[in-house]
Amino acid sequence: MTAVVQNVVTSGTFELDGGSWAVDNNVWLIGDDSEVIVIDAAHDAEAIADVIGDRELVAIVSTHAHNDHVNAAPALAERTGAPILLHREDRVLWDLTHPGRAPDGELTDGQTLTVAGTELRVLHTPGHAPGAVCLHVPDLGVLFTGDTLFHGGPGATGRSYSDYPTIVKSIHDKLFALPDSTEVRTGHGESTTIGAEKAASTGWD
């Protein structure tokens, strides 16, 4: 069976710099009938586990370590035995939420993860967070962007450990180099395409 993409929307709070905001998060799953990868285990480990079912969870991949993208990761890992993977430069954010529990492995730029015979290529895209990554799946024409790129432009850069020129450079250099038809599956809200965001990007700088 060819790998397919599934989506679960979970709700909770984003907390940073002393503030707290209600958010809905996209949790993405990619796999087949026997194995799956979860991208951004947000808020509700039980809801995510229900969608996984009896499939093997190969890995829990975190696009970055803001609490609303990783707060359910340890519980899901404990329940399934799957490793949590995170770019090392986001450990400073991870430790704000899970100071007593380290990730199980590191994500690196250019690294390839495989599930259901399908490759996911890791792209380090700092800006929203220092260790933010996107995951490109060439065989499916899909890109999982976390909070780096949304329908309507770059992710937020107004809080600690973020930088606007850096996120714009990441998007231009890494993401806009992908085919325009690439479907962008975001960390919050609706999906878009690389072509649509590239066409709307005039004036970002």
Side-chain angles (χ1 to χ4, degrees):
M1 176 182 174
T2 303
V4 298
V5 175
Q6 296 172 281
N7 176 229
V8 183
V9 178
T10 59
S11 301
T13 58
F14 165 53
E15 300 171 355
L16 190 64
D17 297 337
S20 179
W21 300 265
V23 288
D24 296 327
N25 284 62
N26 287 321
V27 180
W28 298 102
L29 297 86
I30 179 170
D32 59 12
D33 290 339
S34 61
E35 61 180 20
V36 65
I37 281 176
V38 164
I39 300 169
D40 289 342
H43 307 305
D44 192 338
E46 184 174 352
I48 301 167
D50 285 347
V51 178
I52 295 169
D54 60 1
R55 293 179 289 180
E56 176 190 358
L57 182 55
V58 175
I60 301 163
V61 178
S62 300
T63 61
H64 63 293
H66 284 151
N67 76 291
D68 60 315
H69 289 255
V70 300
N71 51 11
L76 187 62
E78 182 176 356
R79 181 168 181 157
T80 62
I84 301 168
L85 306 181
L86 178 75
H87 193 281
R88 62 182 176 81
E89 291 187 20
D90 248 33
R91 183 63 187 272
V92 63
L93 286 166
W94 172 274
D95 288 345
L96 295 176
T97 302
H98 302 300
R101 204 286 192 197
D104 301 298
E106 292 187 354
L107 298 169
T108 58
D109 188 50
Q111 175 183 1
T112 298
L113 307 173
T114 303
V115 65
T118 302
E119 292 188 346
L120 292 73
R121 185 164 62 95
V122 178
L123 305 174
H124 181 213
T125 52
H128 179 71
V133 302
C134 297
L135 299 155
H136 182 219
V137 189
D139 287 351
L140 301 183
V142 169
L143 177 72
F144 300 98
T145 57
D147 288 1
T148 294
L149 179 64
F150 290 110
H151 182 279
T157 54
R159 311 203 185 281
S160 295
Y161 308 106
S162 65
D163 183 73
Y164 183 75
T166 301
I167 199 173
V168 169
K169 179 174 173 56
S170 291
I171 293 169
H172 277 298
D173 293 354
K174 296 283 186 71
L175 305 188
F176 285 175
L178 302 175
D180 285 354
S181 60
T182 303
E183 298 176 12
V184 176
R185 308 296 176 90
T186 63
H188 307 272
E190 63 186 289
S191 297
T192 182
T193 66
I194 289 295
E197 298 313 309
K198 188 187 297 184
S201 67
T202 303
W204 281 9
D205 299 336

